[in-house]
Protein backbone atom coordinates (compact mmCIF):
# COMPACT_ATOMS: atom_id res chain seq x y z
CA UNK A 1 0.00 0.00 0.00
CA UNK A 2 2.75 2.45 0.94
CA UNK A 3 4.70 1.58 -2.21
CA UNK A 4 1.63 2.41 -4.27
CA UNK A 5 1.22 5.69 -2.39
CA UNK A 6 4.84 6.69 -3.03
CA UNK A 7 4.36 5.93 -6.73
CA UNK A 8 1.14 7.97 -6.80
CA UNK A 9 2.94 10.97 -5.32
CA UNK A 10 5.90 10.64 -7.68
CA UNK A 11 3.55 10.48 -10.69
CA UNK A 12 1.90 13.75 -9.66
CA UNK A 13 5.27 15.52 -9.64
CA UNK A 14 6.11 14.03 -13.05
CA UNK A 15 2.88 15.02 -14.79
CA UNK A 16 1.62 18.12 -12.98
CA UNK A 17 3.94 21.15 -12.87
CA UNK A 18 1.59 22.78 -10.33
CA UNK A 19 2.59 20.27 -7.62
CA UNK A 20 4.93 21.89 -5.09
CA UNK A 21 5.29 19.55 -2.12
CA UNK A 22 4.44 16.05 -0.94
CA UNK A 23 2.21 17.48 1.78
CA UNK A 24 0.26 19.47 -0.81
CA UNK A 25 -0.23 16.38 -2.98
CA UNK A 26 -1.37 14.24 -0.04
CA UNK A 27 -3.87 16.80 1.20
CA UNK A 28 -5.24 18.53 -1.91
CA UNK A 29 -5.16 16.10 -4.87
CA UNK A 30 -8.51 14.29 -5.27
CA UNK A 31 -7.04 11.90 -7.84
CA UNK A 32 -4.65 10.53 -5.23
CA UNK A 33 -7.44 10.26 -2.66
CA UNK A 34 -9.72 8.46 -5.14
CA UNK A 35 -7.05 5.85 -5.85
CA UNK A 36 -6.56 5.26 -2.13
CA UNK A 37 -10.30 4.75 -1.65
CA UNK A 38 -10.40 2.45 -4.66
CA UNK A 39 -7.57 0.19 -3.53
CA UNK A 40 -9.28 -0.41 -0.20
CA UNK A 41 -12.67 -0.90 -1.85
CA UNK A 42 -11.20 -3.24 -4.50
CA UNK A 43 -9.56 -5.34 -1.77
CA UNK A 44 -12.92 -5.69 -0.01
CA UNK A 45 -14.67 -6.45 -3.32
CA UNK A 46 -12.28 -9.26 -4.24
CA UNK A 47 -12.68 -10.77 -0.76
CA UNK A 48 -16.44 -10.99 -0.99
CA UNK A 49 -17.36 -7.93 1.11
CA UNK A 50 -19.34 -6.40 -1.76
CA UNK A 51 -21.66 -4.04 0.15
CA UNK A 52 -18.83 -2.61 2.26
CA UNK A 53 -16.76 -2.15 -0.89
CA UNK A 54 -19.59 -0.27 -2.60
CA UNK A 55 -20.16 1.89 0.48
CA UNK A 56 -16.46 2.79 0.65
CA UNK A 57 -16.40 3.70 -3.04
CA UNK A 58 -19.52 5.80 -2.44
CA UNK A 59 -17.67 7.70 0.30
CA UNK A 60 -14.76 8.18 -2.10
CA UNK A 61 -17.13 9.63 -4.68
CA UNK A 62 -18.60 11.98 -2.07
CA UNK A 63 -15.17 13.24 -0.99
CA UNK A 64 -13.50 13.49 -4.41
CA UNK A 65 -16.14 13.75 -7.13
CA UNK A 66 -14.56 10.69 -8.77
CA UNK A 67 -16.66 7.54 -9.09
CA UNK A 68 -14.73 4.28 -9.44
CA UNK A 69 -16.56 0.98 -9.11
CA UNK A 70 -14.73 -1.30 -6.65
CA UNK A 71 -14.72 -4.06 -9.27
CA UNK A 72 -12.62 -2.02 -11.70
CA UNK A 73 -8.96 -2.97 -12.14
CA UNK A 74 -6.40 -0.14 -12.00
CA UNK A 75 -2.66 -0.56 -12.56
CA UNK A 76 0.30 1.25 -11.05
CA UNK A 77 1.37 4.87 -11.56
CA UNK A 78 -2.05 5.94 -12.83
CA UNK A 79 -2.67 9.68 -12.65
CA UNK A 80 -6.15 11.21 -12.42
CA UNK A 81 -5.70 14.96 -12.93
CA UNK A 82 -8.34 17.27 -11.40
CA UNK A 83 -10.71 14.30 -11.55
CA UNK A 84 -14.12 15.88 -11.03
CA UNK A 85 -16.75 13.90 -12.93
CA UNK A 86 -14.56 10.88 -13.74
CA UNK A 87 -16.60 7.65 -13.88
CA UNK A 88 -15.01 4.19 -14.13
CA UNK A 89 -17.30 1.18 -14.58
CA UNK A 90 -17.20 -2.20 -12.88
CA UNK A 91 -15.39 -4.21 -15.58
CA UNK A 92 -13.08 -1.42 -16.72
CA UNK A 93 -9.34 -2.13 -16.76
CA UNK A 94 -6.76 0.66 -16.62
CA UNK A 95 -3.15 -0.27 -17.35
CA UNK A 96 0.02 1.11 -15.80
CA UNK A 97 1.16 4.68 -16.50
CA UNK A 98 -2.25 5.86 -17.74
CA UNK A 99 -3.49 9.45 -17.37
CA UNK A 100 -7.14 10.50 -17.08
CA UNK A 101 -8.33 14.09 -17.03
CA UNK A 102 -11.56 15.43 -15.55
CA UNK A 103 -14.90 14.39 -16.94
CA UNK A 104 -13.68 11.09 -18.40
CA UNK A 105 -16.15 8.21 -18.57
CA UNK A 106 -15.16 4.57 -18.97
CA UNK A 107 -18.70 3.30 -19.44
CA UNK A 108 -20.76 0.48 -20.82
CA UNK A 109 -23.25 0.24 -23.69
CA UNK A 110 -25.35 -2.70 -22.52
CA UNK A 111 -27.22 -3.94 -19.46
CA UNK A 112 -25.90 -7.46 -19.96
CA UNK A 113 -23.58 -8.86 -17.33
CA UNK A 114 -19.97 -9.72 -18.11
CA UNK A 115 -17.26 -7.59 -19.68
CA UNK A 116 -18.96 -4.36 -20.75
CA UNK A 117 -16.43 -1.60 -20.03
CA UNK A 118 -13.20 -0.52 -21.77
CA UNK A 119 -9.65 -1.77 -21.33
CA UNK A 120 -6.85 0.81 -21.43
CA UNK A 121 -3.35 -0.36 -22.31
CA UNK A 122 -0.17 0.94 -20.73
CA UNK A 123 0.55 4.66 -21.09
CA UNK A 124 -2.85 5.71 -22.46
CA UNK A 125 -3.85 9.38 -22.13
CA UNK A 126 -7.55 10.27 -22.05
CA UNK A 127 -8.38 13.95 -22.54
CA UNK A 128 -10.91 15.90 -20.51
CA UNK A 129 -14.54 15.01 -21.10
CA UNK A 130 -13.83 11.98 -23.32
CA UNK A 131 -16.23 9.04 -23.27
CA UNK A 132 -14.86 5.53 -23.83
CA UNK A 133 -17.84 3.21 -24.16
CA UNK A 134 -18.20 -0.55 -24.38
CA UNK A 135 -15.84 -3.55 -24.05
CA UNK A 136 -13.27 -2.01 -26.39
CA UNK A 137 -9.49 -1.81 -26.13
CA UNK A 138 -7.40 1.35 -26.24
CA UNK A 139 -3.90 0.25 -27.25
CA UNK A 140 -0.67 1.09 -25.45
CA UNK A 141 0.44 4.74 -25.58
CA UNK A 142 -2.69 5.76 -27.48
CA UNK A 143 -4.30 9.16 -26.89
CA UNK A 144 -7.94 10.13 -26.87
CA UNK A 145 -8.75 13.79 -27.48
CA UNK A 146 -10.87 15.95 -25.22
CA UNK A 147 -14.64 15.36 -25.53
CA UNK A 148 -14.15 12.47 -27.98
CA UNK A 149 -16.65 9.61 -27.95
CA UNK A 150 -14.88 6.30 -28.61
CA UNK A 151 -16.92 3.17 -29.35
CA UNK A 152 -14.33 1.17 -31.33
CA UNK A 153 -10.84 -0.14 -30.60
CA UNK A 154 -7.94 2.31 -30.87
CA UNK A 155 -4.61 0.89 -32.11
CA UNK A 156 -1.45 1.27 -30.00
CA UNK A 157 0.20 4.66 -30.38
CA UNK A 158 -2.72 6.19 -32.32
CA UNK A 159 -4.72 9.32 -31.54
CA UNK A 160 -8.53 9.29 -31.57
CA UNK A 161 -10.57 12.51 -31.76
CA UNK A 162 -14.10 13.61 -32.56
CA UNK A 163 -17.68 12.37 -32.21
CA UNK A 164 -17.72 9.54 -33.05
CA UNK A 165 -13.98 9.24 -32.66
CA UNK A 166 -11.77 8.70 -35.69
CA UNK A 167 -8.10 7.77 -35.77
CA UNK A 168 -5.46 10.37 -36.59
CA UNK A 169 -2.29 8.57 -37.56
CA UNK A 170 -0.68 10.85 -40.15
CA UNK A 171 3.00 11.65 -40.52
CA UNK A 172 2.25 15.27 -39.66
CA UNK A 173 0.64 14.28 -36.36
CA UNK A 174 3.71 12.23 -35.47
CA UNK A 175 6.01 15.15 -36.33
CA UNK A 176 3.94 17.44 -34.11
CA UNK A 177 4.05 14.97 -31.24
CA UNK A 178 7.84 14.63 -31.52
CA UNK A 179 8.28 18.40 -31.74
CA UNK A 180 6.01 18.97 -28.74
CA UNK A 181 7.96 16.40 -26.74
CA UNK A 182 11.26 18.16 -27.55
CA UNK A 183 9.75 21.42 -26.36
CA UNK A 184 8.53 19.81 -23.15
CA UNK A 185 4.92 20.39 -24.15
CA UNK A 186 1.96 18.07 -24.64
CA UNK A 187 -1.10 19.14 -26.63
CA UNK A 188 -3.27 16.59 -24.79
CA UNK A 189 -4.31 14.88 -28.02
CA UNK A 190 -6.03 17.89 -29.56
CA UNK A 191 -6.37 17.86 -33.33
CA UNK A 192 -5.75 20.29 -36.18
CA UNK A 193 -9.33 20.16 -37.42
CA UNK A 194 -10.86 21.26 -34.12
CA UNK A 195 -12.65 24.58 -34.65
CA UNK A 196 -10.59 26.34 -32.03
CA UNK A 197 -8.19 29.20 -32.88
CA UNK A 198 -5.96 28.42 -29.91
CA UNK A 199 -5.57 24.78 -30.99
CA UNK A 200 -4.80 25.85 -34.54
CA UNK A 201 -2.29 28.42 -33.27
CA UNK A 202 -0.51 25.79 -31.17
CA UNK A 203 -0.26 23.45 -34.13
CA UNK A 204 0.97 26.28 -36.35
CA UNK A 205 3.77 26.93 -33.83
CA UNK A 206 4.66 23.23 -33.74
CA UNK A 207 4.65 23.01 -37.55
CA UNK A 208 6.81 26.13 -37.82
CA UNK A 209 9.28 24.78 -35.26
CA UNK A 210 9.50 21.43 -37.04
CA UNK A 211 10.03 23.15 -40.41
CA UNK A 212 12.80 25.32 -38.95
CA UNK A 213 14.50 22.24 -37.49
CA UNK A 214 14.45 20.59 -40.91
CA UNK A 215 15.86 23.73 -42.59
CA UNK A 216 18.61 23.97 -39.98
CA UNK A 217 19.60 20.35 -40.57
CA UNK A 218 19.80 20.98 -44.32
CA UNK A 219 21.92 24.10 -43.79
CA UNK A 220 24.29 22.30 -41.45
CA UNK A 221 24.68 19.41 -43.89
CA UNK A 222 25.46 21.85 -46.69
CA UNK A 223 28.04 23.62 -44.54
CA UNK A 224 29.61 20.31 -43.63
CA UNK A 225 30.01 19.48 -47.33
CA UNK A 226 31.76 22.84 -47.77
CA UNK A 227 34.28 21.84 -45.11
CA UNK A 228 32.90 23.65 -42.09
CA UNK A 229 33.44 22.09 -38.65
CA UNK A 230 29.86 22.07 -37.40
CA UNK A 231 30.77 20.00 -34.33
CA UNK A 232 32.90 22.81 -32.92
CA UNK A 233 29.84 24.81 -31.82
CA UNK A 234 26.84 23.56 -29.87
CA UNK A 235 23.60 24.38 -31.63
CA UNK A 236 21.75 24.23 -28.31
CA UNK A 237 23.95 26.96 -26.83
CA UNK A 238 24.15 29.34 -29.78
CA UNK A 239 21.49 31.52 -31.32
CA UNK A 240 20.94 30.50 -34.92
CA UNK A 241 21.59 33.75 -36.82
CA UNK A 242 24.05 35.24 -39.30
CA UNK A 243 26.78 35.60 -36.69
CA UNK A 244 26.36 31.96 -35.76
CA UNK A 245 26.76 30.89 -39.40
CA UNK A 246 29.85 33.06 -39.72
CA UNK A 247 31.34 31.46 -36.61
CA UNK A 248 30.87 27.98 -38.06
CA UNK A 249 32.29 28.93 -41.46
CA UNK A 250 35.30 30.70 -39.96
Amino acid sequence: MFNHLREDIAVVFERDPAARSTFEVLTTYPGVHALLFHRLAHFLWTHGLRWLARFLSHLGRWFTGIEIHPGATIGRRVFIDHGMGVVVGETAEIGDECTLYHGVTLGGTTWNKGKRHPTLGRGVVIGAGAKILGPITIGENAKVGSNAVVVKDVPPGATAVGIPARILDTDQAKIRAETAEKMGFSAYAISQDMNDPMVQAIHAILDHTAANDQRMQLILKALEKLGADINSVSVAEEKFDVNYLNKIVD
Side-chain angles (χ1 to χ4, degrees):
M1 178 66 74
F2 289 106
N3 288 335
H4 280 289
L5 181 59
R6 281 195 291 266
E7 289 180 346
D8 293 340
I9 295 171
V11 164
V12 171
F13 284 109
E14 288 177 10
R15 304 182 200 172
D16 186 2
R20 292 176 175 82
S21 68
T22 299
F23 181 75
E24 179 186 26
V25 171
L26 282 173
T27 55
T28 65
Y29 274 70
V32 174
H33 303 156
L35 290 174
L36 286 173
F37 273 107
H38 173 71
R39 291 196 187 101
L40 290 172
H42 185 70
F43 176 83
L44 296 173
W45 183 268
T46 56
H47 286 76
L49 301 173
R50 299 294 175 90
W51 179 87
L52 188 56
R54 288 300 301 269
F55 183 72
L56 188 60
S57 68
H58 180 70
L59 288 179
R61 175 179 178 272
W62 189 77
F63 278 110
T64 67
I66 299 169
E67 182 175 340
I68 306 176
H69 193 284
T73 302
I74 299 180
R76 303 176 77 101
R77 296 175 58 80
V78 170
F79 179 42
I80 302 176
D81 197 8
H82 304 294
M84 180 62 70
V86 168
V87 177
V88 179
E90 177 186 3
T91 61
E93 300 175 49
I94 302 175
D96 298 342
E97 306 287 349
C98 288
T99 301
L100 278 64
Y101 290 91
H102 50 283
V104 167
T105 298
L106 304 183
T109 57
T110 177
W111 290 344
N112 297 329
K113 294 186 180 297
K115 177 65 172 173
R116 60 190 186 279
H117 298 99
T119 297
L120 309 187
R122 183 184 183 89
V124 169
V125 177
I126 309 295
K131 309 295 183 285
I132 319 297
L133 305 176
I136 61 177
T137 299
I138 310 299
E140 289 190 3
N141 299 312
K143 294 179 176 62
V144 176
S146 299
N147 296 317
V149 178
V150 185
V151 293
K152 295 181 180 179
D153 291 349
V154 176
T159 298
V161 298
I163 305 173
R166 61 195 183 282
I167 305 300
L168 297 180
D169 196 16
T170 63
D171 292 338
Q172 185 63 41
K174 292 180 180 179
I175 291 173
R176 283 194 193 122
E178 292 172 357
T179 304
E181 186 175 352
K182 291 178 182 177
M183 296 170 63
F185 168 77
S186 172
Y188 296 167
I190 52 181
S191 66
Q192 173 80 27
D193 53 0
M194 290 178 67
N195 188 23
D196 186 330
M198 288 299 295
V199 172
Q200 295 173 359
I202 289 171
H203 281 141
I205 292 171
L206 293 175
D207 292 344
H208 182 69
T209 302
N212 282 342
D213 286 344
Q214 292 175 350
R215 292 189 187 102
M216 181 181 292
Q217 292 301 319
L218 292 174
I219 291 171
L220 292 176
K221 287 180 180 179
L223 290 173
E224 188 175 15
K225 289 181 180 179
L226 293 174
D229 184 9
I230 63 173
N231 294 321
S232 62
V233 180
S234 172
V235 176
E237 296 176 356
E238 295 289 340
K239 184 177 179 181
F240 188 69
D241 54 19
V242 175
N243 294 329
Y244 173 55
L245 285 177
N246 291 333
K247 185 173 182 180
I248 295 177
V249 175
D250 293 340

